[in-house]
Amino acid sequence: MRKVYLSIIGFSILCRLNAYAQQTQDTSITKTAVSLYKPVGGQDSTSYHPKRLRLDEVNLISSYYTQTGDHSAITGGNGTQNVIDLSNGIDLHFVWLGQNNNKNTLTTGFGIDYHTSASSAFVTTTGLGKKDGTRIYPSLDWTVENAKSGNTFGVGVYYSGEYNYKSKGADLHFSIKTADKNGEFGVKLQGYFDQVTLIYPSEFIAAITPPPAGAVYVTTASGNTVLESAGGSADGHGSRIGLASSPRNTYTGSLSYSQIINSRLQVVFLADGVAQNGYLGLPYHRVYFNNGRDTIEKLPSSRFKIPLGFRVNYFLGDDIILRSYYRYYHDNWGINSNTANLEVAYKVSPFFSISPFYRYYAQSAARYFAPYGVHSPDDEYYTSNYEYAKFQSSFYGIGLRVAPPNGVFGWQNLHELELRYGHYSQTVGLVSDVISLSLGFK
């Protein structure tokens, strides 16, 4: 399910990044020559005009996602992948002027997803396991912008929690503009520290026979078998015995450089390095060997990824913007991929635009992947998760954006509304549709 969540989040973020608007500069800020970290000695105190914290913008995003397929990793790469997910999120942007008129922005976010997954029922061999779940993901980011140079520095923290997965994250980011302000170099360092709950398929759960006096085995809605006392837990405190978890850590370093070539053309170069270690599989993913016996997915405990890409935005006259993107990806598990994306934003009127888009993706298979019933018991690592298979995919759709000067539907504070739809398909049979609504309040 984690991959599904990331897809939905990424699509929702596009609703904000691809907004067809020009941001006006806050002329109320008096820019003075300052250092980013401390005031210049002897500076006239009258040039410092602190402003109290205010709520600058509120963004509401909702999306509805459906998916079908027949290669579930829970059933060894051969079973239903039907998923429905409803996601809702809110971002609050607070702004204030601090020392030396440096602009401070505090962004708080909170999201909640509710999903149903048909394959989750088969964590237990009865097919009666838990099919639905909820995930919450709050976030907090603080960024300060130097009033003179335009350079920024910030930090952020994140959390994501659901029944079988907990994740904590933090990042440090900064950017430096060139002297003419037409170029910008950015750096972002991130760390995610996850805990994977060890929920095994029911046939692999060892049972104590007979159970201790006064205790019974109970199969939970998720297909887990746990030991429970007659009055609650085996320890008598009224809650079930906790499930073990295993750590997974992800460290990412991102570099970017953007350059305004002229009034019509902008380019951005992107480079990432991603290192992972810990438990990188999922304990409820089955693998069926060629002798008919099944086992649990086994993958290496480390992985390194290198994505490299660029973006090119071109203003084709006053009414059309061409947004293109390309990325090459390589990792040490044997996957190589290419992504190409094109979006055309057309300004129908000063307050309404449409943005059709298309993305093509192709990847090679990881060396540890094989379909249902193909792996040998002698293999060192094995998975039948089609995330690691060879496939091509297409994602296409359209976005509609409305931003009238008097507010959407005459509501002054609702300054923009964006509706986006996308259809996704893989050559291995997975198909999905997502629709999202974004509301921006000022």
Side-chain angles (χ1 to χ4, degrees), residues 402-417 437 439:
V402 181
N406 296 322
V408 181
F409 307 125
W411 187 2
Q412 186 68 46
N413 291 332
L414 179 56
H415 73 96
E416 69 172 15
L417 179 153
L437 175 66
L439 302 176

Side-chain angles (χ1 to χ4, degrees), residues 18-21 314-323 343-357 398-402 418 420:
N18 294 329
Y20 190 79
Y314 184 75
F315 289 78
L316 188 64
D318 296 330
D319 298 328
I320 298 177
I321 302 177
L322 303 179
R323 298 187 178 101
E343 178 167 348
V344 180
Y346 174 62
K347 195 173 183 181
V348 179
S349 76
F351 319 121
F352 175 68
S353 62
I354 60 174
S355 302
F357 61 88
I398 192 168
L400 306 174
R401 181 177 179 273
V402 181
E418 185 166 7
R420 291 178 72 89

Side-chain angles (χ1 to χ4, degrees), residues 252-425:
T252 302
S254 301
L255 302 176
S256 65
Y257 179 76
S258 64
Q259 179 67 47
I260 298 174
I261 306 299
N262 53 47
S263 61
R264 293 185 178 273
L265 180 63
Q266 180 188 35
V267 296
V268 182
F269 299 97
L270 307 164
D272 297 330
V274 182
Q276 290 183 295
N277 61 65
Y279 187 55
L280 302 185
L282 286 174
Y284 45 83
H285 284 178
R286 292 180 177 91
V287 171
Y288 285 84
F289 291 130
N290 52 19
N291 61 6
R293 183 172 63 88
D294 67 326
T295 187
I296 298 168
E297 171 184 75
K298 183 181 179 183
L299 291 168
S301 59
S302 64
R303 189 179 186 186
F304 188 71
K305 312 174 185 180
I306 302 177
L308 302 172
F310 63 86
R311 299 181 187 275
V312 178
N313 296 333
Y314 184 75
F315 289 78
L316 188 64
D318 296 330
D319 298 328
I320 298 177
I321 302 177
L322 303 179
R323 298 187 178 101
S324 61
Y325 169 72
Y326 171 79
R327 188 191 75 162
Y328 171 76
Y329 169 93
H330 170 80
D331 69 30
N332 62 345
W333 286 10
I335 293 180
N336 294 283
S337 71
N338 292 275
T339 305
N341 186 88
L342 177 64
E343 178 167 348
V344 180
Y346 174 62
K347 195 173 183 181
V348 179
S349 76
F351 319 121
F352 175 68
S353 62
I354 60 174
S355 302
F357 61 88
Y358 177 78
R359 185 186 72 202
Y360 175 78
Y361 174 83
Q363 76 168 40
S364 60
R367 63 177 63 95
Y368 313 119
F369 171 82
Y372 183 98
V374 175
H375 275 295
S376 166
D378 297 327
D379 293 342
E380 181 180 8
Y381 300 109
Y382 33 80
T383 179
S384 293
N385 183 353
Y386 273 70
E387 176 182 342
Y388 305 115
K390 178 182 179 179
F391 67 86
Q392 295 84 43
S393 70
S394 294
F395 182 52
Y396 58 86
I398 192 168
L400 306 174
R401 181 177 179 273
V402 181
N406 296 322
V408 181
F409 307 125
W411 187 2
Q412 186 68 46
N413 291 332
L414 179 56
H415 73 96
E416 69 172 15
L417 179 153
E418 185 166 7
L419 183 67
R420 291 178 72 89
Y421 166 77
H423 176 79
Y424 175 79
S425 61

